[in-house]
């Protein structure tokens, strides 16, 4: 109240737009910690930082809203979560006449930041409060859950939408707000744009929006935990094909949940498949918002972050390690080799194994009159084309989508509605969807499917790594490499991509890269594709992010794109050989050379001051 207005009058920043934003923040924010952050910036005259925090808004990326926790309109905090939820309420109320009766699902992970008095659970309570205050039925989980539980619950309970508060595998400073539609898939455009408009229309918190105790007192709040957990585990057994082997198996598994939500749920999933539960990594099994034993909570980073689980596995004589990321929607896998060293599989290698497995299991269990032409697998366009090779040989369909699982989820729902059968979908960043109980990536189901696969293969005298070689021998080697550069300057990123669009002159893309000639270019940002007769991209245009794919004469496909959730320029490259071309080392050398040229000539890391990821 009054104190603030006095502070403000005496401390105008000399910028009317900023003054208004400061005034709004100080009158609306009821979180003492974040309010103080803005007050002290104002008192210290730190106008530039105030501008950065208050004069821009959060926008929907590939995973909804994601940003650092802290004070300001472009950060994740109590106020911005309330604003986002008010916008979603408005949008859903316009779109569904039965919104209040059908209800809304709210889940959360275990992140938090003491300095901002901000935690996923608190943000989830505020999300629920906004809706409960407007008489909406809210399914609010009484404890943290894996991200896939939210889309699963939306479908099971017939809710109109759901939100998961999580920043998945991002650094500990971040949090996020992931929105799922009634079909159980993440929202795609145009919903995201429309929701942002609705958020802009009602930025001031409504009366009941700050009442986080409503989840404990409102009769409209239901706890879906037991029902969803039981139903999820039961649905999971539909993709369990060798229960009798699992029950007798002597194979040991180690599981790490990376200080996140995964422990209890992976234990349950293993039991549902008839396994002994996996051995947990004690230092990482309980939630810890500081992720104190890993330098970053992303299992994709490989051996460096899997240190504790690999040492435990050696001690326990476990041959396979499964790692779920903090919100348990992604899965990393490592296997001990003959030599004693560990092989950490890439997302693309795991997809080759999953694709082979899910199709073999389908073939063995399908009815006599089942038509393989009714069967589908999907991958995002920056992922390995190994499923395409398997599909060509086996007769099922393979489809590609834009990067981001939200595109896969929507497409799968569409295929299912048209009577098709979808067995598996993936993205190379270790996101897997086995079966269609959840229309999003799911690390819990993927972990237990890998365990069953390893058990089955052990009975055949094979390891996962040996089976992978078999698959490549049969369907053709697919060798891929993915990495990234960090770039914190949006202008530099834009310049890099604009240079590629006007490489040989205005609006002409590069014709070669080093010694490698380019056959086709597809630019999803602008909708151009030189391989199509009309030069129009088949994938939908997405102007908000940068993405260009080059197909080379030698069969290599390479993509450069910006990340939707982090300050990264990512590159993906893959050599696809036909079956019988099994000289792996020649292919690897060729790929290495091409990536070298791609990075040097197209990204120019030295002059653009890009930092390569320190692997």
């Amino acid at each position: 109240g009054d104190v603030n207005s006095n502070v403000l009058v005496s401390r105008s920043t000399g910028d009317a737009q900023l003054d208004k934003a400061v005034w709004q923040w100080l009158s609306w924010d009821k979180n003492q910690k974040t309010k103080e952050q803005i007050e002290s910036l104002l008192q210290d005259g730190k106008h530039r930082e105030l501008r950065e925090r208050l004069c821009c808004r959060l926008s929907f990326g590939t995973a909804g809203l994601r940003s650092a926790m802290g004070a300001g309109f472009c950060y994740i905090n109590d106020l911005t979560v309330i604003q986002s939820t008010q916008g979603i309420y408005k949008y859903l109320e316009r779109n569904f006449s039965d919104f209040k009766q059908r209800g809304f699902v709210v889940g959360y992970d275990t992140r938090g930041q003491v300095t901002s008095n901000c935690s996923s659970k608190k943000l989830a309570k505020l999300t629920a409060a906004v809706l409960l205050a407007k008489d909406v039925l809210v399914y609010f989980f009484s404890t943290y859950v894996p991200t896939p539980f939210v889309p699963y619950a939306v479908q099971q309970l017939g809710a109109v939408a759901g939100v998961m508060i999580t920043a998945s595998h991002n650094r500990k400073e971040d949090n996020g707000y992931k929105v799922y539609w009634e079909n159980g898939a993440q929202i795609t455009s145009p919903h995201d744009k429309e929701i942002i408009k609705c958020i802009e229309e009602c930025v001031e918190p409504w009366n009941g929006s700050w009442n986080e105790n409503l989840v404990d007192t409102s009769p409209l709040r239901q706890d879906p935990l037991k029902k969803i957990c039981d139903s999820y585990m039961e649905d999971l057994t539909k993709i369990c094909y060798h229960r009798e082997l699992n029950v007798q198996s002597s194979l040991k598994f180690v599981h790490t949940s990376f200080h996140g939500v995964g422990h209890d749920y992976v234990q349950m999933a293993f039991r549902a498949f008839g396994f002994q539960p996996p051995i947990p990594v004690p230092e990482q099994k309980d939630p810890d918002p500081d992720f104190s034993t890993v330098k970053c909570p992303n299992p994709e980073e490989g051996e460096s972050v899997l240190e504790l689980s690999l040492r435990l596995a050696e001690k326990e004589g476990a041959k396979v390690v499964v790692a779920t990321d903090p919100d348990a929607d992604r899965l990393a896998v490592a296997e001990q080799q003959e030599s004693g060293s560990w092989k950490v599989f890439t997302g693309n290698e795991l997809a080759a194994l999953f694709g082979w497995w899910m199709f073999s299991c389908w073939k063995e269990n399908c009815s006599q009159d089942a038509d393989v032409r009714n069967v589908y697998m999907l991958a995002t366009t920056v992922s390995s084309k190994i499923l395409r090779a398997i599909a060509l040989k086996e007769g099922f369909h393979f489809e590609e989508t834009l990067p981001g699982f939200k595109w896969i989820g929507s497409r799968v729902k569409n295929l299912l509605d048209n009577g098709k059968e979808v067995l598996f979908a993936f993205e190379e960043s270790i996101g897997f969807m086995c079966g269609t109980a959840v229309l999003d990536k799911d690390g819990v189901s993927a972990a237990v499917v890998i365990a069953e696969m390893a058990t089955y293969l052990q009975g055949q005298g094979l390891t996962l790594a040996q089976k992978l070689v078999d698959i490549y021998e049969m369907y053709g080697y697919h060798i891929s490499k993915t990495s990234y550069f960090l770039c914190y300057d949006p202008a530099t990123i834009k310049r890099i991509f604009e240079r590629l669009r006007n490489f040989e002159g205005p609006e002409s893309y590069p014709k070669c890269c080093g010694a490698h000639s380019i056959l086709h270019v597809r630019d999803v940002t602008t909708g151009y594709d030189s391989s199509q007769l009309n030069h129009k991209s088949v994938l939908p245009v997405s102007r908000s992010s940068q993405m260009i794919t080059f197909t080379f004469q030698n069969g290599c496909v390479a993509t450069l794109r910006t990340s939707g959730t982090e300050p990264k320029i990512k590159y993906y490259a893959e050599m696809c050989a036909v079956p019988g071309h099994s000289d792996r080392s020649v292919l690897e050398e060729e790929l290495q050379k091409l990536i070298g040229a791609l990075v040097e000539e197209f990204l120019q890391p030295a002059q653009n001051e890009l930092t390569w990821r320190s692997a």
Side-chain angles (χ1 to χ4, degrees):
D2 305 318
V3 181
N4 287 342
S5 39
N6 294 341
V7 168
L8 282 173
V9 172
S10 63
R11 292 204 188 271
S12 164
T13 62
D15 168 341
Q17 186 204 2
L18 183 55
D19 281 350
K20 182 183 173 194
V22 168
W23 181 83
Q24 285 179 332
W25 189 273
L26 296 179
S27 6
W28 295 344
D29 188 10
K30 290 196 160 107
N31 175 328
Q32 271 331 106
K33 292 263 170 92
T34 43
K35 194 170 180 170
E36 281 161 15
Q37 286 174 29
I38 296 300
E39 280 171 349
S40 72
L41 287 172
L42 186 63
Q43 274 161 354
D44 301 344
K46 297 197 167 157
H47 297 171
R48 203 179 105 219
E49 193 181 332
L50 276 174
R51 212 166 274 119
E52 280 167 10
R53 285 181 178 267
L54 296 173
C55 294
C56 63
R57 273 201 186 288
L58 288 169
S59 70
F60 281 88
T62 44
L65 305 170
R66 208 175 273 186
S67 183
M69 290 178 272
F73 290 118
C74 56
Y75 283 70
I76 297 272
N77 50 61
D78 296 5
L79 180 54
T80 53
V81 161
I82 285 173
Q83 292 177 324
S84 303
T85 309
Q86 291 184 167
I88 283 172
Y89 169 80
K90 258 202 142 135
Y91 186 59
L92 293 172
E93 194 192 26
R94 277 178 207 168
N95 280 280
F96 298 97
S97 55
D98 52 358
F99 170 31
K100 293 184 175 179
Q101 294 73 43
R102 284 175 60 191
F104 190 95
V105 176
V106 181
Y108 50 93
D109 69 8
T110 54
R111 287 176 173 262
Q113 185 180 66
V114 178
T115 51
S116 304
N117 184 16
C118 180
S119 71
S120 294
K121 183 165 192 173
K122 184 183 183 205
L123 297 174
K125 283 182 164 185
L126 290 167
T127 301
V130 170
L131 301 169
L132 290 168
K134 290 283 185 192
D135 300 323
V136 177
L137 168 65
V138 175
Y139 298 100
F140 178 90
F141 283 100
S142 52
T143 186
Y144 54 82
V145 289
T147 292
F149 273 40
V150 170
Y152 180 74
V154 168
Q155 282 193 290
Q156 286 294 311
L157 302 166
V160 294
V163 157
M164 174 73 186
I165 307 287
T166 179
S168 191
H169 55 277
N170 276 36
R171 57 193 197 128
K172 66 173 188 230
E173 289 77 12
D174 291 355
N175 216 329
Y177 185 96
K178 219 168 178 175
V179 186
Y180 293 88
W181 202 238
E182 63 170 339
N183 61 2
Q186 286 179 58
I187 55 164
T188 50
S189 44
H191 297 308
D192 49 2
K193 308 278 178 290
E194 294 298 320
I195 289 172
I196 284 178
K197 276 189 208 151
C198 289
I199 295 171
E200 302 285 338
E201 286 168 26
C202 45
V203 284
E204 183 167 350
W206 302 327
N207 278 339
S209 292
W210 283 98
N211 185 1
E212 63 180 279
N213 299 328
L214 274 180
V215 293
D216 304 314
T217 57
S218 168
L220 287 171
R221 179 266 169 132
Q222 289 188 19
D223 177 12
L225 185 68
K226 185 171 176 357
K227 182 181 175 180
I228 291 303
C229 223
D230 293 349
S231 165
Y232 174 92
M233 294 302 160
E234 192 179 323
D235 270 343
L236 195 53
T237 57
K238 292 176 187 162
I239 51 174
C240 175
Y241 296 103
H242 298 279
R243 198 187 170 83
E244 67 299 335
L245 290 180
N246 303 345
V247 172
Q248 299 158 10
S249 171
S250 60
L251 253 188
K252 286 173 151 185
F253 299 93
V254 159
H255 169 238
T256 170
S257 39
F258 263 71
H259 300 297
V261 306
H263 174 75
D264 295 335
Y265 302 97
V266 170
Q267 297 269 315
M268 270 184 261
F270 269 66
R271 287 198 190 95
F273 264 51
F275 284 110
Q276 289 297 306
I279 303 161
V281 177
E283 305 90 328
Q284 296 175 337
K285 92 177 172 55
D286 298 318
D288 167 12
D290 286 325
F291 305 112
S292 42
T293 66
V294 287
K295 75 167 192 332
C296 76
N298 185 355
E300 253 187 301
E301 297 285 335
E303 212 160 325
S304 60
V305 290
L306 294 171
E307 185 66 35
L308 284 172
S309 39
L310 302 182
R311 297 301 78 84
L312 178 66
E314 287 164 1
K315 198 176 102 204
E316 295 282 353
K319 290 281 178 245
V320 177
V321 167
V322 288
T324 46
D325 71 339
D327 66 328
D329 65 347
R330 304 187 323 146
L331 179 78
V333 179
E335 181 185 53
Q336 194 171 29
Q337 305 304 294
E338 292 283 291
S339 63
S341 68
W342 287 86
K343 174 175 173 63
V344 180
F345 294 90
T346 66
N348 286 332
E349 290 173 331
L350 289 173
L353 288 162
F354 279 122
W356 157 74
W357 176 255
M358 297 304 284
F359 184 72
S360 308
C361 294
W362 177 83
K363 214 155 86 174
E364 264 167 52
N365 295 278
C366 66
S367 56
Q368 303 265 234
D369 56 351
D371 185 352
V372 71
R373 289 169 306 189
N374 202 39
V375 169
Y376 282 73
M377 292 196 194
L378 288 84
T380 61
T381 180
V382 293
S383 303
S384 171
K385 310 286 179 257
I386 185 67
L387 297 184
R388 182 180 66 189
I390 301 176
L392 281 169
K393 202 159 180 168
E394 302 294 348
F396 62 88
H397 288 273
F398 168 69
E399 282 194 9
E400 280 193 329
T401 71
L402 285 173
F405 234 89
K406 59 182 181 184
W407 300 104
I408 287 183
S410 304
R411 179 62 186 145
V412 168
K413 182 74 175 94
N414 187 267
L415 288 166
L416 296 175
D417 290 346
N418 286 296
K420 308 297 184 196
E421 199 170 348
V422 181
L423 303 183
F424 173 65
F426 87 104
E427 61 183 0
E428 59 70 43
S429 52
I430 60 177
F432 310 105
M433 184 191 93
C434 301
T436 52
V438 176
L439 298 182
D440 198 10
K441 52 188 186 282
D442 182 353
V444 179
S445 57
V448 72
V449 169
I450 275 286
E452 181 169 81
M453 189 193 308
T455 302
Y456 170 86
L457 288 170
Q458 187 198 29
Q460 313 271 305
L462 288 169
T463 62
L464 293 167
Q466 287 164 336
K467 185 65 209 181
L468 181 63
V469 172
D470 284 357
I471 294 168
Y472 285 145
E473 296 285 343
M474 178 146 178
Y475 300 107
Y477 271 93
H478 285 61
I479 297 174
S480 54
K481 190 153 169 50
T482 301
S483 192
Y484 60 82
F485 287 90
L486 290 166
C487 180
Y488 294 94
D489 177 32
T492 301
I493 293 180
K494 202 168 161 48
R495 196 171 62 240
I496 289 171
F497 283 90
E498 283 306 322
R499 175 176 166 260
L500 293 174
R501 293 187 179 108
N502 305 287
F503 200 78
E504 316 258 339
E507 292 182 32
S508 80
Y509 294 84
K511 297 191 177 44
C512 61
C513 177
H516 312 272
S517 17
I518 294 171
L519 197 60
H520 293 300
V521 178
R522 181 186 63 202
D523 185 340
V524 178
T525 312
T526 63
Y528 170 79
D529 185 346
S530 68
S531 72
Q532 299 295 319
L533 282 171
N534 62 359
H535 285 188
K536 293 260 190 293
S537 166
V538 184
L539 290 174
V541 181
S542 61
R543 296 202 184 283
S544 54
S545 60
Q546 302 279 0
M547 181 166 118
I548 305 179
T549 300
F550 303 96
T551 304
F552 291 87
Q553 208 89 46
N554 66 1
C556 179
V557 180
T559 296
L560 301 174
R561 71 178 275 258
T562 49
S563 163
T565 54
E566 297 163 295
K568 292 175 176 178
I569 301 178
K570 299 185 166 185
Y571 64 82
Y572 309 79
E574 179 170 53
M575 290 292 290
C576 308
V578 285
H581 272 254
S582 59
D583 196 340
R584 195 182 165 123
S585 55
V586 174
L587 289 170
E588 280 181 338
E589 198 178 329
E590 178 94 345
L591 183 65
Q592 235 12 81
K593 278 187 195 153
L594 196 138
I595 289 174
L598 191 76
V599 167
E600 277 315 307
E601 297 195 16
F602 290 178
L603 294 180
Q604 303 177 299
Q607 65 196 76
N608 288 314
E609 296 179 3
L610 308 178
T611 331
W612 192 63
R613 67 160 274 215
S614 49

